[in-house]
Amino acid sequence: MFLRTIILACGLAGALAAAQFPAYSQQYMQRLGGAVQALEEVVADFDASAAALGLSRAEALGQMSGSAFVEARRADMQATFTRHESLRRDLLVLEGLGPFMRAYRSRHMTDPELARGAWQAFEPALPLSLASLMFAVFGFCAAGFGGGAVVYLLRPRRVKPPLPA
């Protein structure tokens, strides 16, 4: 009976955790869209400054040398261009997807800064949507089976005495 209680507790904990994914992924998507929009403004501003001088982005970056500050700024801008492109690709993949497809494509939800911000702003809630309920069922089954496997592996084994000869 005690073992079943542990398995049930694991299942309920898994259900509650998994049911939060749809809301968390929505929070992540909102942050992702905002980050892409903010970075687009920075990129467009840099490109406009370069174009005003008749330079391409690469040429403008190439001219950013001569002092430690300017070279550090060049490295910052290159990192900004790289992050913008990466987040823009992720947004294109995730945009318009529902919670199940976002879970399937979750490898596009791995930006550490966005994930940290989404997690800090996230407030767990009672799952009231069908999607949350289905995630809860999956979480219950996965954690219940996982907890059961751990209990099975850790339980003491009875040693049978040898049969008399």
Side-chain angles (χ1 to χ4, degrees):
M1 185 67 175
F2 179 71
L3 298 179
R4 287 185 183 146
T5 303
I6 290 174
I7 294 169
L8 180 63
C10 288
L12 290 175
L16 290 174
Q20 301 305 312
F21 180 80
Y24 171 80
S25 67
Q26 182 66 29
Q27 179 72 239
Y28 185 93
M29 287 296 299
Q30 290 171 352
R31 288 184 174 272
L32 177 61
V36 168
Q37 184 177 11
L39 290 172
E40 281 174 354
E41 292 176 17
V42 173
V43 169
D45 184 53
F46 184 90
D47 289 345
S49 294
L53 297 172
L55 301 172
S56 69
R57 181 186 298 171
E59 291 168 333
L61 285 170
Q63 288 188 11
M64 294 178 77
S65 63
S67 74
F69 174 76
V70 174
E71 289 179 13
R73 188 68 186 133
R74 179 185 65 210
D76 292 343
M77 288 309 301
Q78 287 172 324
T80 297
F81 296 140
T82 301
R83 184 163 190 253
H84 171 256
E85 188 58 33
S86 174
L87 294 181
R88 191 179 64 77
R89 277 193 311 267
D90 288 345
L91 183 61
L92 287 173
V93 169
L94 296 169
E95 208 165 34
L97 298 181
F100 297 106
M101 288 306 293
R102 283 195 303 263
Y104 179 71
R105 302 278 186 168
S106 62
R107 67 184 175 279
H108 294 280
M109 297 175 62
T110 57
D111 182 78
E113 186 179 326
L114 293 179
R116 187 171 31 260
W119 184 252
Q120 288 172 348
F122 180 70
E123 294 181 18
L126 186 62
L128 298 176
S129 68
L130 178 61
S132 292
L133 177 64
M134 294 178 77
F135 273 91
V137 168
F138 172 78
F140 179 85
C141 294
F145 286 127
V150 169
V151 166
Y152 177 79
L153 292 173
L154 296 178
R155 73 177 185 170
R157 304 275 188 255
R158 290 185 186 170
V159 179
K160 294 184 181 180
L163 294 173

